Amino acid sequence: MSDASARRLRELGDVPVDKLRHIGEKRAAALESMGISNVFDLLTVYPRRYIDRTRQVDLSDLSVGDEAAIFAEVTKVSSRRTRQGKVMVEVTVSDGGESIKIVFFNQGWRERQLLVGVQALFFGKVGDYRGQRQMANPVVDVIVGATGEERDPSRVGRVVAIYPASGKAGLTSWEMGGFIEESLRRAGRLLDPLSETQRAPLALIDRTSAYWGIHLPENFGDQVPARRRLAFDEFLRLQLILALRRRRLEESAAGIRHSIDVHDLDVAPGSLVSREDTLVRRFLGGHRFTLTTAQRRVLDDVVRDMVGPLPMHRLLQGDVGSGKTLVAVTAMLGSLDGSRQSVLMAPTEVLAEQHLASLRRDLSGLMVSDDAVLGGEREVSVQLLTGRVRTKERQAIVGGLARGSVDIVVGTHALLSDDVRFRSLGLIVIDEQHRFGVEQRSRLRDQGRERSNEGADPDLLVMTATPIPRTAAMVLFGDLDVSVLDELPAGRRAIETTWAREDDEIVSCWQRVRDEVAAGRRAYVICPLVEGSDKIEATSAVDERTRLATHELRGLAVGLLHGQMKSDEKELVMNQFRAGEIAVLVATVVIEVGVDVPEASVIVIEDAWRFGLAQLHQLRGRVGRSEFQSYCYLLGTPPNEDGEARLNALVATNDGFELADVDLEMRGEGTLLGARQQGRSDLKLAKLKSDEDLLLGAQTLAASMVESDDESLAAMEDELRLFVDEDDATYLFKS
Ligand code: ADP
Ligand code: MG
């Protein structure tokens, strides 16, 4: 391992592509446009597939109906227009023996791509045209261009790697392969940061063999262990960054030791409590419901973190309706028992206002001692700070936070603006913010510390209702400890979900809305998502409300809520809906997250296929929040199979974690990981679902490497510099 001649990946990252033999200015520019600037980048352009030339189909063996990949050379190209006026390009290809005709419709550019002499792989179904075998519109991978390329015979091995050809940049798979092969040869032996002892239990091959195996497999199948090793490295780098970040946090942490008694959590409603008891005891003793077993268990985690010396850094995952708010409130009171303030951040003003209202309701009558007031006692003070709180009121609240006369502040994340200071901030709760990245979380913690005159790190509890498969959570939230609320409060009934396609099903959907309203319940109608235009979306919601109020739902009190309304209008409408003055709320997705109106028992989602699976599950979660039987109706005809699959999945299960798995499978990791998937840190080979064992192995290894801090960590840190920016590197790595 400490072989001085072996190359580090970072050294390869220092070699610009134009140092390679056949790369001049033009090709370097083409590569640059694909995001490839150095030799390391080149090595991480992975083949899309492989052709096993020992098992190649001869054209003479092909029959009509076969689906096949054929490797052949273009011998003739022409184009003409069909009678319908479509462009048709006709290409004849030969494998040295027989030939076959391939036709392309509406792809005029194929005439310029598939010049005589081009060798390519054509993948498609063999059809029959007037008794002749023919392929129509196959998938094409150009492997050898017609001109100007050296055809190094040594590259035509038994297995040929096919690279994603870039039509735009004008580089063929063959050229890419050539650059990569030269890179590999010149790189020679690569330093493997992992020792034999580290690799063996995970069945990982060494790094040099892995890069050769994936790009130039000698035998078909060699690419499999190669991929495994390289995928592992991708996970390892991600997990190491998280583990290092964690170490830094812990080293620099100045946690608060809250004084909360875990046994207080066992106080059940109706228990005898006195004025001298802690807030937590008085709150739980006076509450409407008993904690669910899951809430009790999660609070145990939370309280243990809070009383411990390190700042809490915890994610609470709980399906919609599992009762995360109660967990948060209890924790905030625990903080207040030590005279420390709390912040509750919501993603929208509507949600912030809802939290304010429910906190004030739940905490009313709960007294805290305060020497500054007459009688030495006052009610717990919960205040709102959002963009629309007027200046004067805002000044009063900001003043109260600094003095300590405000205990809990609720708001959107604009809440921590510069003028906001706390007397003593103990806890920050972020609700429904799974889009918050690792970096944002650490910034938030710094802000908390700066704003509290104790100079200590407030505890952090992040809550999300979007269930995330465990593997994805490890990548997205690997810097957090995780607790899961995996139980709904007792008495909940499964929401009945119907995909209403036929006219009579749609009629019964609206009838259901009328019936439920007649029984004193309430309904949501979600209007179609209009991509990219809030205005048009709002207009269509306005129209839909008018239509429903005059047709299907005539005679009912139908209200409207959309994103273009002013905040106070929104608040008014939500209050009317809560109070039952509005029975049916026609809304855009503004209600997607967190809105809690227990009497709502029906939700109708129009053009449901336009929404993502997680979003649909969130929307559905607006009902079924009480003991009433609830219903969800999905309307609309999906234009594609994906849409159908989403609706079917939703009908099939109410379980958010199951849906999250389906979602991951359908969409792949890219969209799920969102902002994390940037630049070089992409998971190019690793798959969260099928490579779960690798991810777990990487997590364990990363933790032990950081712990033992030996030369393999030093080697990995060097390589991580390829993936993190300068600032991060300074922060994460020991100098
Ligand atoms: P979410 O986890 O989606 O944020 P909420 O905290 O809004 O869920 O809770 C959903 C509903 O369940 C609320 O109406 C809340 O009052 C109720 N609830 C929470 N905890 C319990 C419990 N232990 N028993 C009964 N109902 C509960
Ligand atoms: Mg919630």
Side-chain angles (χ1 to χ4, degrees), residues 289-292 295 320-326 489 492 596 625:
F289 4 87
T290 315
L291 295 175
T292 62
Q295 283 169 325
V320 281
S322 57
K324 291 182 289 295
T325 319
L326 187 50
R492 294 287 168 78
D596 183 37
R625 302 175 79 80

Side-chain angles (χ1 to χ4, degrees), residues 287-293 295 318-327 354-355 361-362 431-432 463-465 485 488-490 492 594-598 618 621-622 624-626:
H287 202 64
R288 287 168 292 153
F289 4 87
T290 315
L291 295 175
T292 62
T293 318
Q295 283 169 325
D319 210 344
V320 281
S322 57
K324 291 182 289 295
T325 319
L326 187 50
V327 172
Q354 170 183 294
H355 277 314
R361 182 195 61 205
D362 285 356
D431 190 18
E432 317 280 3
M463 308 199 292
T464 172
L485 269 184
L488 295 181
R492 294 287 168 78
V595 169
D596 183 37
V597 178
Q618 280 294 315
R622 295 316 103 211
R625 302 175 79 80
S626 63

